[in-house]
Amino acid sequence: MDQTISDRIEVYVQRVQNLSTFGAAFLYDVFKLVESLGITMTDGDCWLLGFSVQQIEQEIKNSCNVSSVPFGLFKAASGLIVARFLSAKRAKDGMSAEMSALNFSPVLKELSEGDTKLVYAVDSATSPEQRLDQFLGLLESGRNQFVTYRRIRW
């Protein structure tokens, strides 16, 4: 029986919500972010994503020395969770067809209308895996925001 995206999101939130202090709305957003990348979640993926949520939540709490994740770090946390999830999925499945299918096509850098000239902002020598690594690096840049919420340990 094929589940709709709403059903899959609900199952995911039910599984993870008891393990996280982020709340249901945040978990919905993370799930939708993963789905927007074109990844169809399986039961194993839901577990892996829930594990990623727990890892990042604990990392933020430990780095900032706080008992709950500050609201200001929720967007950074969602990027870190997706990066952790994609890294774990790639480590588990390798560069599977689904991972290769992620749309990392070149971004348009320049467009001329007379005699139609298109220039892309990516080196043609980069592979899909290298572009995935660059995307993961972009998602993981949220760690720079931890220092804003850091508390001194006594």
Side-chain angles (χ1 to χ4, degrees), residues 3-12 31 35 40-41:
Q3 292 181 320
T4 65
I5 189 165
S6 299
D7 294 337
R8 289 196 311 261
I9 290 174
E10 190 61 37
V11 168
Y12 161 72
F31 188 90
E35 289 267 322
T40 304
M41 299 292 287

Side-chain angles (χ1 to χ4, degrees), residues 16-29:
V16 179
Q17 189 171 6
N18 295 331
L19 308 172
S20 170
T21 60
F22 282 117
F26 175 81
L27 298 173
Y28 279 111
D29 289 345

Side-chain angles (χ1 to χ4, degrees), residues 41-61:
M41 299 292 287
T42 64
D43 286 339
D45 289 341
C46 285
W47 183 89
L48 190 58
L49 189 57
F51 186 72
S52 299
V53 167
Q54 291 176 333
Q55 282 184 313
I56 296 302
E57 179 180 16
Q58 196 60 47
E59 180 181 339
I60 291 171
K61 288 177 181 179

Side-chain angles (χ1 to χ4, degrees), residues 52-134:
S52 299
V53 167
Q54 291 176 333
Q55 282 184 313
I56 296 302
E57 179 180 16
Q58 196 60 47
E59 180 181 339
I60 291 171
K61 288 177 181 179
N62 290 342
S63 294
C64 297
N65 193 30
V66 293
S67 59
S68 64
V69 177
F71 183 74
L73 288 178
F74 275 29
K75 292 300 179 194
S78 62
L80 291 168
I81 289 165
V82 171
R84 179 71 51 94
F85 169 74
L86 291 175
S87 296
K89 188 166 174 63
R90 181 170 63 174
K92 182 182 89 161
D93 300 334
M95 197 65 175
S96 65
E98 186 177 51
M99 293 291 282
S100 298
L102 292 175
N103 187 7
F104 291 111
S105 56
V107 178
L108 192 60
K109 178 180 173 183
E110 183 181 324
L111 172 69
S112 300
E113 290 186 31
D115 279 348
T116 313
K117 175 185 172 186
L118 298 175
V119 178
Y120 292 98
V122 70
D123 183 11
S124 61
T126 58
S127 68
E129 191 161 1
Q130 289 170 323
R131 288 194 292 269
L132 175 62
D133 288 337
Q134 291 171 348

